[in-house]
């Protein structure tokens, strides 16, 4: 039997320009497309960006309850979660 890796999950690293815009409060809405993305964004965000999210200036939307839970575990409030989603 030979094993072949067809999928490998890497840590998400957000775009530095996007993180800078979050810090300045220039982004009103960000969609979290996976738990990995939520954790990566949380690691990249500074205090100012976290404050914008906490105050609702920047709202986070998750594509699934699992993604929303990952964001909350990182201390990020989620404004909305998709009602229809799939694990596929």
């Amino acid at each position: 039997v030979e094993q072949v890796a067809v999928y490998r999950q890497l840590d998400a690293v957000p775009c530095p320009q996007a993180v800078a815009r979050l810090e300045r409060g220039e982004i009103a809405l960000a969609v979290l497309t996976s738990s990995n993305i939520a954790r990566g964004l949380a690691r990249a965000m500074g205090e100012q960006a976290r404050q914008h999210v906490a105050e609702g200036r920047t709202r986070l939307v998750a594509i699934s309850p699992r993604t929303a839970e990952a964001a909350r575990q990182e201390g990020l409030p989620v404004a909305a979660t998709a009602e229809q989603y799939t694990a596929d």
Side-chain angles (χ1 to χ4, degrees):
V1 174
E2 183 180 343
Q3 288 185 328
V4 178
V6 294
Y7 178 83
R8 181 172 58 139
Q9 183 169 325
L10 302 173
D11 289 339
V13 180
C15 168
Q17 293 87 353
V19 173
R21 292 188 66 201
L22 281 169
E23 293 292 337
R24 294 191 300 265
E26 297 175 357
I27 296 177
L29 181 75
V31 178
L32 303 173
T33 57
S34 72
S35 297
N36 193 29
I37 293 293
R39 287 188 290 272
L41 181 62
R43 283 191 303 271
M45 291 172 72
E47 188 61 35
Q48 192 66 42
R50 285 180 175 271
Q51 184 174 350
H52 292 312
V53 172
E55 294 172 353
R57 183 172 182 175
T58 299
R59 298 182 343 165
L60 303 178
V61 176
I63 65 162
S64 73
R66 182 178 292 169
T67 302
E69 181 58 28
R72 290 186 187 103
Q73 287 176 353
E74 296 293 333
L76 300 177
V78 176
T81 302
E83 292 181 15
Q84 293 185 351
Y85 57 92
T86 65
D88 298 332

